[in-house]
Amino acid sequence: MSIADRLGDSLGVSVRAVTDLGSGHGWTLHRAELADGRAVFVKAAADRAGVFAAEAAGLRWLGAGNSALVPPVLAACEGMLVLPWLPDAAPSPAAADRFGRDLALLHADSPEAFGAPWPGWIAELPLDNTPSEGPWPRWYAERRLRPFVVRAADVLGVDGVRLLERVIDRIDELAGPPEPPARIHGDLWSGNLRWTDVGVVLIDPAAHGGHRETDLAMLALFGAPHLDRILAAYERTRPLAAGWRSRVPLHQLHPLLVHVALFGAGYRAQTLAAARTALTG
């Protein structure tokens, strides 16, 4: 069955046109124009139902914390995820200010536990979302760092693995003051921020109850437009614990390990540098 036929069946409306946008991580991307005048974004794959289900659950869960930040899920069925089409707008200082405030409000809506009640994914890699009432440092070490150290061990090498194990062993002292679980996006690099005429909208989450500093560290990892304004607006709304900037490398370790697992040795040096900085503060 074609993308147009599957989409029409899912939404109950005929499809005028489908434009292919490329592919990534094992699925294809499309823009579709519907007979009722709407445009939608479609991810499709024959064998990615679990990934799409996790993304849909994450978007809905984040929306329960702050609906201004996420698009509604129009359909999430076997092999397909459908969202509204989000036209791009130029990043602006005003939108950055609003995003920083909205992200702080999202994080302030605390779930009951770290983790999530659905199996997690980041790109095509599984995440262990087993819920825990805490504390966060041990959850992060055992559910995020250790599994990806194992997955990336061949690239990290013996010395690299030992370095990451030192971080895991010292996680309690490195993690800073205790924080309650926060609703976090979980993969908040700049490519998952859509700047639109109504502000920033978040896509492609690896959502779970986590540490709010994780989202901010991910924003900084590959750079985000107007990052200083985002952070300033965040701090005005919900100040961060003292020393948070020194903990940025600790929170960046998981996404860097994900990149080592996905893309190989090109991210090894950056990952090990982050681990050394995390250990020295």
Side-chain angles (χ1 to χ4, degrees):
M1 186 181 292
S2 69
I3 293 291
D5 290 338
R6 292 161 60 195
L7 181 59
D9 288 347
S10 297
L11 298 181
V13 60
S14 59
V15 178
R16 288 178 176 167
V18 175
T19 302
D20 295 336
L21 303 176
S23 61
H25 299 299
W27 46 80
T28 58
L29 310 175
H30 313 269
R31 183 184 189 275
E33 298 175 14
L34 307 182
D36 59 14
R38 289 180 294 164
V40 297
F41 173 76
V42 182
K43 283 184 177 179
D47 59 351
R48 298 292 177 174
V51 176
F52 297 162
E55 183 173 344
L59 288 170
R60 290 167 175 147
W61 184 78
L62 292 171
N66 190 338
S67 61
L69 277 177
V70 294
V73 177
L74 302 180
C77 53
E78 184 172 353
M80 184 175 291
L81 177 72
V82 186
L83 306 174
W85 183 259
L86 301 172
D88 289 328
S92 70
D97 290 342
R98 186 163 61 250
F99 171 53
R101 181 198 65 217
D102 284 344
L103 186 63
L105 294 174
L106 172 65
H107 289 168
D109 186 34
S110 182
E112 294 182 355
F114 297 103
W118 61 82
W121 295 85
I122 188 163
E124 70 264 34
L125 301 179
L127 291 173
D128 184 350
N129 275 347
T130 302
S132 169
E133 293 182 0
W136 175 80
R138 191 48 49 190
W139 186 91
Y140 180 63
E142 299 301 331
R143 306 299 181 191
R144 291 295 182 264
L145 295 184
R146 194 181 301 280
F148 281 84
V149 171
V150 172
R151 186 180 286 272
D154 288 346
V155 176
L156 295 172
V158 173
D159 290 343
V161 169
R162 286 176 179 161
L163 179 63
L164 270 297
E165 290 289 351
R166 287 175 57 202
V167 175
I168 291 171
D169 290 343
R170 293 180 54 195
I171 192 74
D172 294 325
E173 66 181 273
L174 300 176
E179 290 253 352
R183 288 181 194 255
I184 71 169
H185 179 281
D187 190 16
L188 198 59
W189 73 290
S190 60
N192 287 339
L193 275 61
R194 293 299 302 269
W195 298 80
T196 76
D197 57 4
V198 297
V200 173
V201 178
L202 306 183
I203 60 171
D204 292 347
H208 63 279
H211 197 303
R212 62 192 180 125
E213 291 176 13
T214 296
D215 271 354
L216 302 181
M218 190 63 179
L219 280 174
L221 183 55
F222 301 116
H226 305 296
L227 180 58
D228 288 345
R229 295 192 71 111
I230 293 170
L231 295 175
Y234 187 106
E235 287 243 68
R236 286 194 300 271
T237 306
R238 189 165 178 247
L240 292 153
W244 71 270
R245 290 184 185 276
S246 68
R247 294 186 292 274
V248 166
L250 177 67
H251 290 269
Q252 290 177 341
L253 276 179
H254 176 246
L256 285 169
L257 285 167
V258 170
H259 278 71
V260 174
L262 286 172
F263 305 116
Y267 287 93
R268 181 181 184 274
Q270 189 176 2
T271 302
L272 300 186
R276 294 187 191 98
T277 304
L279 287 166
T280 60

